[in-house]
Amino acid sequence: MAPTPKGRATYHHGDLAAALVQTTLEIIDEVGMRGFSVAEAARRTCVSPGAPYRHFADRDALLAAAALEVSRRLRAIYLETVADVGSAQERLATVAGTFVRAAARYRGGLDILFAPGLRATHPELRDSSREFVDLLLPSAFEVVAPGEAAVTAVALLDALHALARGYVAQLLEGKFGDPDDVVEEVAIRATRAARALVAGYGVPSGPFGEEGGGR
């Protein structure tokens, strides 16, 4: 059997768009958003410099597509982690560990996901964030005191987001050691801190679930 041809001949039925998104994430892991260029993504994907523009209007459109892919992966990691978690408190605490694990796996991906410029011009990123919040809100409402649900639940999710991003920043800065070596340890630390945070917003409801899958 003849070997599969490389480069542009291997892309069919929209595969190039997905390949460009994956390559974009790899480049940003290496050089950050400032160092990213569509031309480099095209070069690494073995297509002409103009080929990406058949799928993406401009540089920001490609970055937004990459950010949306990170959002999907983050959601998938969270859903997998909480599949066997019973309590609302633990489902919320698991958010922190999810962010840490996603950051270690995708590095620069979270920077794109939360880049304010992209979110302002690409509503699909805002919609993706709302979907994740909507996923968490039922647990937040279950935790907070009745009568304060709306405001307090949103405040709790904001605080969880800030805590998770803080651990992500410290992980990637190397504060705890090489990120690849310490990711699980940091994810557990972040989840424990998130448990305490959730407890501060909640009403007495018995002990939290065991760390298990939510660690």
Side-chain angles (χ1 to χ4, degrees):
M1 180 180 296
T4 301
K6 295 182 179 181
R8 69 196 68 178
T10 65
Y11 298 110
H12 301 286
H13 308 299
D15 288 348
L16 177 55
L20 286 166
V21 165
Q22 180 58 39
T23 301
T24 295
L25 293 174
E26 292 168 2
I27 294 171
I28 289 173
D29 278 351
E30 297 172 15
V31 299
M33 284 183 64
R34 290 181 180 273
F36 171 77
S37 72
V38 177
E40 177 61 11
R43 186 189 70 79
R44 294 195 188 191
T45 317
C46 302
V47 296
S48 69
Y53 296 104
R54 299 171 194 161
H55 298 273
F56 305 101
D58 53 25
R59 178 180 183 272
D60 278 1
L62 178 50
L63 287 172
L68 196 60
E69 177 61 22
V70 172
S71 179
R72 294 191 190 102
R73 295 178 184 183
L74 178 66
R75 179 187 176 97
I77 292 171
Y78 175 74
L79 289 174
E80 180 182 357
T81 304
V82 299
D84 298 318
V85 174
S87 72
Q89 294 95 332
E90 191 68 8
R91 289 195 297 273
L92 292 173
T94 297
V95 171
T98 296
F99 270 69
V100 167
R101 292 183 178 98
R105 196 176 298 181
Y106 306 119
R107 304 295 172 106
L110 292 188
D111 289 338
I112 323 173
L113 181 59
F114 298 114
L118 288 180
R119 294 169 67 82
T121 55
H122 292 272
E124 66 271 24
L125 294 179
R126 298 195 299 272
D127 292 343
S128 179
S129 293
R130 289 192 197 100
E131 288 172 7
F132 194 72
V133 169
D134 289 344
L135 183 66
L136 301 175
L137 269 175
S139 295
F141 281 129
E142 189 174 337
V143 166
V144 301
E148 303 177 356
V151 173
T152 307
V154 172
L156 169 55
L157 295 185
D158 285 344
L160 274 174
H161 181 262
L163 182 149
R165 293 287 301 279
Y167 271 94
V168 164
Q170 292 180 88
L171 173 75
L172 297 182
E173 288 167 1
K175 176 177 178 179
F176 303 105
D178 186 291
D180 291 332
D181 295 336
V182 300
V183 55
E184 280 304 312
E185 175 189 341
V186 177
I188 291 170
R189 287 191 189 188
T191 303
R192 286 173 177 163
R195 286 194 189 103
L197 176 68
V198 172
Y201 277 83
V203 293
S205 57
F208 287 164
E210 295 183 2
E211 293 181 1
R215 292 193 306 171

